[in-house]
Amino acid sequence: IAGITQAPTSQILAAGRRMTLRCTQDMRHNAMYWYRQDLGLGLRLIHYSNTAGTTGKGEVPDGYSVSRANTDDFPLTLASAVPSQTSVYFCASRGVEDTGELFFGEGSRLTVL
Amino acid sequence: GQNIDQPTEMTATEGAIVQINCTYQTSGFNGLFWYQQHAGEAPTFLSYNVLDGLEEKGRFSSFLSRSKGYSYLLLKELQMKDSASYLCAVTNSNYQLIWGAGTKLIIKP
């Protein structure tokens, strides 16, 4: 693993199903983030974690949950997917500095039918 | 509220120069980022400004005026591979990143 890895890269899901998007980084970054990106809109923060064991809600947290059991992993779960959650999801991490650059995963394209 | 404004789309010619503007209104300021995002790919870091002035990095330069809430990204000697979206983001006083919707740059031969 080099950098930050997301899985799956693409998924089609029936509405009502549960889905977990995985995110792993090997840079020992404290802060991690989940964003969704929709056409015409900026990146919108779903949830974040400033350090292992802590999480916080972002701009659009409803319908999503996260956990941060260790430094490397930050999975995002959709408990019961709805069509409005069709989007591209990006996981990102940041070094110890609050003003450091974000490193992004390659994205997970999710379609909810 | 907090918002970042940048043009939705711009068109420029290969070999020319283009300036992409970004204005922001945020609760406090702790730095401004520019990211490049090619279609279907993840954003990648281009530049960071926290003090007023121009930061130059090869063909790309980024300018910041904190008093005006304004930044621009200047791309010189445009190449076809520069066709991408350019995202402006500001870190506010709570160290939250506020993102603009991005500017899609189209380069024509």
Side-chain angles (χ1 to χ4, degrees):
Chain A
I1 298 176
I4 185 164
T5 304
Q6 291 183 233
T9 55
S10 180
Q11 183 76 43
I12 298 174
L13 187 66
R17 296 296 296 270
R18 180 183 179 90
M19 177 72 195
T20 296
L21 303 180
R22 300 184 298 280
C23 176
T24 300
Q25 54 104 357
D26 64 356
M27 298 175 283
R28 308 304 295 171
H29 285 171
N30 284 325
M32 296 187 75
Y33 308 85
W34 274 106
Y35 288 95
R36 61 177 290 173
Q37 188 176 41
D38 302 289
L39 196 64
L41 300 176
L43 288 162
R44 292 186 291 169
L45 183 64
I46 304 170
H47 285 286
Y48 66 92
S49 170
N50 287 330
T51 189
T54 69
T55 62
K57 293 182 179 180
E59 181 185 356
V60 288
D62 294 343
Y64 306 94
S65 63
V66 292
S67 61
R68 187 86 184 277
N70 56 62
T71 298
D72 298 346
D73 301 301
F74 191 43
L76 176 73
T77 297
L78 290 68
S80 179
V82 296
S84 62
Q85 291 178 311
T86 294
S87 187
V88 179
Y89 292 85
F90 286 102
C91 181
S93 70
R94 199 177 208 181
V96 293
E97 301 86 5
D98 285 329
T99 54
E101 67 179 274
L102 288 183
F103 292 84
F104 285 86
E106 291 303 307
S108 297
R109 182 174 296 276
L110 184 66
T111 302
V112 182
L113 301 176
Chain B
Q2 304 184 92
N3 63 281
I4 309 282
D5 291 316
Q6 39 179 145
T8 302
E9 186 174 298
M10 299 181 70
T11 302
T13 304
E14 189 176 16
I17 298 173
V18 70
Q19 178 175 310
I20 302 174
N21 295 326
C22 170
T23 58
Y24 62 90
Q25 291 178 311
T26 56
S27 54
F29 178 85
N30 276 303
L32 184 144
F33 292 88
W34 283 98
Y35 280 79
Q36 181 189 60
Q37 186 178 24
H38 286 102
E41 298 183 8
T44 55
F45 171 79
L46 283 179
S47 68
Y48 173 68
N49 294 71
V50 65
L51 300 176
D52 290 350
L54 189 68
E55 293 281 342
E56 297 186 80
K57 192 184 294 185
R59 294 188 299 114
F60 292 8
S61 302
S62 56
F63 172 83
L64 174 67
S65 169
R66 289 172 295 171
S67 62
K68 296 182 179 179
Y70 168 70
S71 173
Y72 67 72
L73 181 69
L74 191 71
L75 291 76
K76 303 176 184 177
E77 302 169 13
L78 286 170
Q79 302 175 10
M80 297 304 294
K81 68 178 182 179
D82 297 329
S83 291
S85 289
Y86 292 86
L87 312 180
C88 176
V90 171
T91 302
N92 67 10
S93 57
N94 293 325
Y95 294 98
Q96 298 169 325
L97 258 181
I98 313 299
W99 292 85
T103 298
K104 182 178 181 180
L105 178 63
I106 299 168
I107 310 296
K108 295 185 175 180

